[in-house]
Amino acid sequence: MLRWSIATVCMGGTLETKLSAAARAGFRAIEIFENDLTFFSGKPREARAMADDLGLEIIALQPMRDFEGMPEPARAKNLDRAERKFDLMEELGTSLLSLCSNVSEDSSGDIDRCAADLAELAGRAATRGFRIGYEALAWGRHVHDWMQAWEIVRRADRPNLGIVLDSFHICARKNPIPPIAQIPADRIALVQIADAPGLMMDPMSLSRHHRCFPGQGDWPMDEYLEAALATGYAGPVSLEIFNDQFRGAPPNSIARDGMRSLQICGERLDAARKTRGLSPLNPGRALPEPAKISGVEFIEFVTSAAQSPRLAGELEGLGFRRVAHHRSKDVDLFRQNGVNIVVNREQEGFAHSFYLVHGTSVCALALAFDDPKRALERANALAAQTYFGRTGPGEAQIPAVAGVENSLIYLMKETPEGSSTWDQDFQFDAAAAHSGPLKRIDHLSNVVRRTEFYSWITFYKSVLGFTDEPQVELADPYGAFFSRVISAPGGAVRIPLNIAEGGSTGVSRFIENFGGGGVQQIALSTDDIFSFVEQARARGVAFLDIPGNYYEDLSARYDLEPALIERMRALGILYDRHKSGEFFHIYTKMFDQRFFFEVLERRGYDLFGAANTPIRLAAQASEQDEAMRQRRMLETE
Ligand code: MG
């Protein structure tokens, strides 16, 4: 049976809030970082009582530093220091002291000296019934790889001395992972787990600021856990994350994210074991399998009666038709082929409160599942917040989970286009046609607050069973932003999640204008973008102005027919190419500086046109600057 644990250092706040957040998220074990005790107003035994009351076992006190290989008198002093730690452990009721490899320039790298020091420490710990765990820090003065730490533990040869494995140090140093499986299980004191993004950075800075939960970064967490557990190790697996963003976030949500990330680690481990005919590590605690997602059933906008005609005009310009009105609510359905857009003007309830905070915006997405009941069970098993809205007599009750900024993600049963599910809630206008040039929703881009980026990645990956691609950095005229594409298996729903570092980037301005994260872009696909744009322009749709230089550059970069480039220039269409695939796309002007549509035509191209993102951002920035200039002129008149 796998036992999950979390180190107090992962979370911000007082020791009390950290312990209760861990327990609330379902943890039964915790590592206590000594600083948390230093800042704690009570006595260590009161911390123990608190942990007991919450059903938390304190599995370790961490860390003891700069111990092994020191010259006298530092060596003797260190042994005294250890006795004081033992006293503390006595009060805390924990039996393991975690020791990090020495970083002091006074220390010796002599392996036998270090082993002798650890043997002595372990001997003293044994008289008190305690164990010592020794961990190689990636930036240790002499010991920085797990193989070195293991050799010292092996030579010290004490039954109560083991190695602490930590995926962070092991991956940061690119240490070999498979040989971990050869360590005898009873010589592993603790298995710690932390992921990190694939940034080129010195290990100490990476460790102190960028560690993240498994699955949020780019490192081989599954391979690591498989190797560590292949030893037969049956102790706790503990999250140890140093990250400023985590400590700045509410501890409850960090503990919940940590638990979710571990639950899906366990799920993947057991899936891998099953294919090898092995028994599960998590018997009886398996999550309901993710339900299969076949697409976005609808996108719901909320707006007011006053703003509604402008939004309807925008949608009709893109070729959507208002085909139905809700039987009991002030809600319209716009449709074009298989794309459904719901426009909600209700004056009460969830959508209206969303409108009051965010203005005209996307308040909900409905994803189509093969088995929405199982999707809901999984969401509950992963502690997602669920929502059941008000419905009229005979109307469909659709469960939802809370998404970014408390928007909703409806869990719907997949339906063939135009099927009766819609008839239950909507009165259709028999005369309204819904064919048009736009065929399907290609992707949606979601802007999230920087502090919530990892949290939403874990949400989509765990609750909805999405997968993610490596993070990319994109240039913005006012800074940089980061994007990571998450998608439902099979690619039926793809969502680039975007965050910004800079104060004035398009992403940051969106967060400011919108009052938080949300859907910024809806990309719709067509089979003939040229005729679509001609018709849409004729209907008065305003597309983003693309500077002429872009097309000069295009003709220099690609061997394209001058007539084709001229046509793109005349219509404002952008172009990208990858291998033999071609991509044509265009953006509408922003609606209230909050969202915009992209229309695209893929010709054997599967990317997102990121090469053109800087030109889009620059054009949107100058559009925003112009809007602001005009507003200021009006104000001064
Ligand atoms: Mg560690």
Side-chain angles (χ1 to χ4, degrees), residues 86 95-97 99 118 121-122 125 130-134 160-162 189:
F86 295 156
S95 63
L96 178 65
L97 175 64
L99 172 73
L118 287 193
L121 180 66
F130 295 149
R131 295 178 300 131
I132 303 293
Y134 181 53
N160 66 329
L161 172 67

Side-chain angles (χ1 to χ4, degrees), residues 21-181:
R24 196 170 155 190
F27 287 97
R28 293 290 166 263
I30 192 152
E31 275 185 85
I32 292 208
F33 195 64
E34 200 175 338
N35 277 3
D36 283 314
L37 282 177
T38 317
F39 303 142
F40 176 54
S41 54
K43 297 262 184 302
R45 65 170 177 280
E46 293 171 74
R48 177 194 185 164
M50 218 156 55
D52 281 348
D53 288 347
L54 291 163
L56 287 169
E57 180 194 348
I58 301 174
I59 57 156
L61 174 68
Q62 60 147 307
M64 171 132 180
R65 299 181 195 276
D66 297 340
F67 175 82
E68 78 283 16
M70 294 301 275
E72 294 293 358
R75 184 176 183 276
K77 264 204 179 127
N78 272 344
L79 286 164
D80 289 346
R81 194 155 62 90
E83 293 292 347
R84 288 201 300 278
K85 300 246 183 207
F86 295 156
D87 295 340
L88 186 54
M89 288 164 69
E90 193 90 56
E91 279 204 64
L92 278 178
T94 188
S95 63
L96 178 65
L97 175 64
S98 169
L99 172 73
C100 304
S101 63
N102 205 323
V103 299
S104 164
E105 54 192 23
D106 299 332
S107 65
S108 153
D110 183 290
I111 283 194
D112 288 314
R113 239 322 285 293
C114 294
D117 288 349
L118 287 193
E120 170 140 16
L121 180 66
R124 291 186 181 214
T127 63
R128 317 264 307 245
F130 295 149
R131 295 178 300 131
I132 303 293
Y134 181 53
E135 173 179 9
L137 289 184
W139 54 92
R141 171 74 47 179
H142 304 286
V143 176
H144 28 66
D145 296 322
W146 74 260
M147 299 81 80
Q148 294 172 296
W150 166 237
E151 185 53 27
I152 290 172
V153 165
R154 199 185 63 79
R155 289 194 195 189
D157 194 23
R158 293 296 159 115
N160 66 329
L161 172 67
I163 184 171
V164 173
L165 295 168
D166 182 336
S167 61
F168 180 85
H169 301 293
I170 291 169
C171 296
R173 293 277 307 164
K174 296 194 168 55
N175 282 174
I177 291 174
I180 290 173

Side-chain angles (χ1 to χ4, degrees), residues 322-333 343 345-346 422 425-429:
R322 202 191 79 127
V323 296
H325 190 78
H326 198 279
R327 293 182 191 278
S328 67
K329 296 176 191 167
D330 193 6
V331 173
D332 286 332
L333 169 63
V343 175
R345 285 178 304 263
E346 285 277 281
W422 286 95
D425 292 356
F426 283 85
Q427 180 73 50
F428 277 79
D429 173 358

